[in-house]
């Protein structure tokens, strides 16, 4: 019987797909964001031994429909779309590819920062509508600004390197990262998250979405920020209380925001963000570049092949190792 690997998305970098086929596995692709009975029917039919998770949720109903499943590998770093606890109860390790898309996501962070600060979107729109908005326009220089990073993993560190090269000072809050890493990167370690919110000119989110980080950016913290502050989010939408952010922007309590992720993806048609001109939005594509897709895809695919072959996988890649009911 052919062993299949389910890819919860319509495509995979060809070289990554080759890793699977060279090891004797057949990739089975799922249309983007397939949910409900449609997804379960595909899982039943494929009966995969591995899942390469891209788009949509992978949870207990999926696991129940895949009795041969032995490993789930995330096409990226964040695993909030995977029920890692449910996987652990079934003895299924969940891997991620942290850091493989760091450069691309960091570039998107910087791009959003400049687009918001320089008002690129409204100026472009004005020209297309026949306006010449130069009279009365006052621009903003970012060099010398203070960038605050929430978390200091691979993407945040790369963002810091780019930002320092552009003349920004950088500080970060991350109680899980050793002080020597901050020192090596030349980044100030801030011990109090609320202090970071109050002191930075630009706040950029890079932490995972967990029960403790949900709505980390809320009305209270927004009230602590400078009125000309900018928020950038290329991590997970659920980190922000979107109603609170929309209200802060509407009332002019912060300068603007650049968002690549949302609590619901795609956001609903009646979302308050659509009417806010100080927002720059992109559809969760920070890591979707040819280079990053290749690196992430190769790492995610190789992780599946290694687990199925019984080879050792780095403990740092198994995100639910501590909760596995059997040895990973």
């Amino acid at each position: 019987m052919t062993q299949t690997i389910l890819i919860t998305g319509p495509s995979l970098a060809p070289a990554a797909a080759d890793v699977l086929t060279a090891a004797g596995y057949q990739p089975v692709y799922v249309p983007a964001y397939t949910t409900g009975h449609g997804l379960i029917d595909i899982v039943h039919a494929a009966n995969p031994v591995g899942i390469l998770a891209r788009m949509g949720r992978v949870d207990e109903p999926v696991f129940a429909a895949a009795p041969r499943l032995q490993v789930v590998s995330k096409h990226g770093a964040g695993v909030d779309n995977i029920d890692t606890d449910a996987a652990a109860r079934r003895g299924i390790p969940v891997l991620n590819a942290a850091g493989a898309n760091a450069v691309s996501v960091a570039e998107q962070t910087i791009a959003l920062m400049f687009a918001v600060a320089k008002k690129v979107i409204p100026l472009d729109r004005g020209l297309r509508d026949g306006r010449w908005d130069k009279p009365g326009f006052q621009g903003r220089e970012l060099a010398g600004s203070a960038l605050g990073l929430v978390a200091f993993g691979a993407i945040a560190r790369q963002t810091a390197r780019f930002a320092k090269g552009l003349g920004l000072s950088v500080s970060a809050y991350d109680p899980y990262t050793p002080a020597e890493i901050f020192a090596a990167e030349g980044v100030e370690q801030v011990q109090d998250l609320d202090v970071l919110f109050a002191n930075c000119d630009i706040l950029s989110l890079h932490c995972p979405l967990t029960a403790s980080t949900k709505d980390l950016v809320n009305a209270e913290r927004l009230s602590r920020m400078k009125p000309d502050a900018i928020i950038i989010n290329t991590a997970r939408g659920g980190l922000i209380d979107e109603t609170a952010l929309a209200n802060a922007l509407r009332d002019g309590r912060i300068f603007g925001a650049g968002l690549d992720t949302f609590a619901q993806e795609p956001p609903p048609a009646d979302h308050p963000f659509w009417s806010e001109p100080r927002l720059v939005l992109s559809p969760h594509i920070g890591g979707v570049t040819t280079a990053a897709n290749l690196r992430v895809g190769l790492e995610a695919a190789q992780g599946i092949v290694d687990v199925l072959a019984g080879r050792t996988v780095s403990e740092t890649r198994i995100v639910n190792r501590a909760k596995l009911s059997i040895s990973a």
Side-chain angles (χ1 to χ4, degrees):
M1 178 185 295
T2 300
Q3 294 186 313
T4 64
I5 307 298
L6 192 76
I7 293 95
T8 58
S11 63
L12 191 63
D18 289 345
V19 170
L20 300 176
T21 55
Y25 301 106
Q26 177 183 337
V28 175
Y29 295 91
V30 177
Y33 299 106
T34 301
T35 59
H37 294 301
L39 174 60
I40 298 305
D41 288 346
I42 294 172
V43 176
H44 267 303
N47 196 10
V49 293
I51 293 178
L52 199 155
R54 294 202 63 189
M55 305 168 186
R57 186 149 182 82
V58 179
D59 50 18
E60 177 57 33
V62 172
F63 301 145
R68 301 171 68 203
L69 185 65
Q70 298 176 52
V71 59
V72 177
S73 187
K74 177 62 189 284
H75 191 275
V79 294
D80 51 288
N81 66 322
I82 302 169
D83 189 335
T84 57
D85 289 343
R89 288 193 295 270
R90 291 176 173 271
I92 299 169
V94 177
L95 317 180
N96 72 354
N101 62 359
V103 171
S104 290
V105 179
E107 287 180 347
Q108 182 71 7
T109 300
I110 299 296
L112 288 171
M113 181 178 75
F114 271 98
V116 174
K118 301 296 186 181
K119 299 185 178 181
V120 171
I121 303 302
L123 290 171
D124 175 89
R125 186 176 299 119
L127 274 172
R128 294 173 189 274
D129 290 344
R131 300 193 309 274
W132 186 256
D133 291 329
K134 184 174 182 177
F137 177 78
Q138 188 65 51
R140 176 173 179 172
E141 188 171 274
L142 285 178
S145 297
L147 172 65
L149 305 172
V150 179
F152 202 51
I155 295 171
R157 293 172 204 169
Q158 185 62 56
T159 299
R161 293 169 198 140
F162 288 151
K164 289 171 62 183
L166 294 165
L168 284 79
S169 64
V170 185
S171 59
Y173 170 83
D174 190 332
Y176 305 104
T177 296
E180 53 265 30
I181 292 180
F182 284 88
E185 296 288 347
V187 170
E188 178 190 3
Q189 184 174 16
V190 176
Q191 303 293 343
D192 188 317
L193 185 58
D194 290 333
V195 169
L196 187 76
F197 270 77
N199 291 344
C200 67
D201 301 305
I202 303 147
L203 182 82
S204 188
L205 304 177
H206 298 281
C207 56
L209 177 61
T210 66
S212 62
T213 61
K214 186 178 187 303
D215 293 340
L216 179 144
V217 178
N218 52 35
E220 180 182 356
R221 287 203 170 106
L222 285 164
S223 71
R224 299 174 185 269
M225 300 189 76
K226 299 176 182 180
D228 61 350
I230 293 171
I231 292 175
I232 305 296
N233 188 11
T234 53
R236 287 296 184 267
L239 299 171
I240 296 177
D241 179 337
E242 293 180 339
T243 299
L245 176 58
N247 290 340
L249 288 165
R250 181 198 62 206
D251 298 341
R253 286 185 275 116
I254 64 169
F255 182 87
L259 309 176
D260 187 49
T261 61
F262 308 89
Q264 177 183 327
E265 297 185 347
D270 60 351
H271 200 291
F273 283 172
W274 303 134
S275 60
E276 178 46 66
R278 283 169 294 183
L279 275 173
V280 176
L281 309 173
S282 56
H284 204 157
I285 49 73
V288 185
T289 66
T290 300
N293 277 345
L294 177 59
R295 290 192 299 267
V296 173
L298 286 171
E299 191 164 331
Q302 190 62 55
I304 288 177
V305 170
D306 287 344
V307 169
L308 293 175
R311 291 191 285 267
T312 300
V313 176
S314 170
E315 291 186 14
T316 61
R317 291 197 57 200
I318 306 175
V319 298
N320 64 342
R321 184 179 183 88
K323 297 179 180 179
L324 285 171
S325 59
I326 62 173
S327 178

